[in-house]
Amino acid sequence: MKTHFQLPFPVNYVSECVRTVPYMHPDFINLHVLARLLTAKFLHREIREKGGAYGGGVNLSHSGLFTFYSYRDPNSIDTISAFRRSVDWAKAGKFTQEDIDEAKLSVFSTVDAPVAPSDKGLDRFLYGISDEMKQKHREQLFAVDHDGLVGVANKYLTTGHSTWGAAILGPENESIARDPTWIQR
């Protein structure tokens, strides 16, 4: 489903989501690293540097929602296209071991970040994730490799294999209005 919410903004807020796997699934860690890799090595250049958006990238939720996003974006349709090109880039494995190592370090920086006393136990309460599960996640991170990243890109990010959805919040857009695959709100 693709929905355009016409709002009186001068720029767009764009998102495209695909349902993947939850935190404890063995493929989750590869998807987590892939999200960081796509953000740093492909989407930042395409969406921010070339497209002029204020920012963009990919997030992966504990429930497995793989979300492409951009904000304050003057080029919504080009951004949707950049999301798709990033998936093709990942499926083709056009990244180096150094790129993978940087993405893994980025994931480690959040996994091992200090936790405020008020937030201790929050992951357990909200998501059912224990300290043992977090440790297993850390250990799995070491095993992430090129083939695993290409594998999850092909397995979960191929159109038609999972539930996809897209939304654009922003001004009137003639190309969206002419495209019958978009729902106008």
Side-chain angles (χ1 to χ4, degrees):
M1 171 184 277
K2 300 188 299 187
T3 307
H4 176 229
F5 295 91
Q6 190 173 329
L7 297 168
F9 301 153
V11 291
N12 299 281
Y13 297 83
V14 183
S15 182
E16 188 166 17
C17 302
V18 59
R19 184 175 310 282
T20 63
V21 293
Y23 185 85
M24 285 310 298
H25 191 282
D27 288 341
F28 183 89
I29 193 65
N30 283 305
L31 287 162
H32 197 173
V33 173
L34 182 61
R36 296 298 173 97
L37 184 67
L38 290 173
T39 298
K41 297 300 176 182
F42 191 93
L43 292 172
H44 178 81
R45 180 182 66 247
E46 295 297 316
I47 294 172
R48 179 152 168 73
E49 294 174 12
K50 291 181 183 177
Y54 194 77
V58 182
N59 283 327
L60 179 64
S61 71
H62 288 91
S63 64
L65 197 59
F66 197 88
T67 306
F68 298 87
Y69 68 92
S70 74
Y71 53 97
R72 299 189 67 190
D73 188 344
N75 299 303
S76 58
I77 298 301
D78 292 341
T79 296
I80 295 277
S81 176
F83 295 161
R84 303 287 165 84
R85 288 193 319 274
S86 75
V87 170
D88 293 339
W89 178 83
K91 287 178 179 180
K94 295 183 179 179
F95 44 87
T96 66
Q97 185 59 47
E98 183 179 349
D99 297 336
I100 295 168
D101 292 342
E102 289 174 12
K104 287 165 85 170
L105 283 172
S106 179
V107 172
F108 263 122
S109 73
T110 59
V111 169
D112 287 338
V115 178
S118 60
D119 291 339
K120 290 195 186 279
L122 197 57
D123 283 342
R124 175 96 176 191
F125 179 74
L126 293 175
Y127 310 112
I129 299 171
S130 68
D131 290 340
E132 293 78 21
M133 292 172 172
K134 288 181 183 181
Q135 183 57 37
K136 183 176 180 182
H137 190 74
R138 278 184 198 92
E139 292 165 6
Q140 289 173 332
L141 188 50
F142 287 109
V144 171
D145 62 10
H146 190 275
D147 291 342
L149 295 170
V150 171
V152 294
N154 281 297
K155 185 174 183 178
Y156 298 105
L157 302 182
T158 299
T159 305
H161 285 129
S162 299
T163 305
W164 283 79
I168 298 175
L169 284 69
E172 183 177 354
N173 185 310
E174 289 183 29
S175 62
I176 291 175
R178 287 191 307 267
D179 185 344
T181 64
W182 283 91
I183 297 169
Q184 300 280 325
R185 299 264 185 220

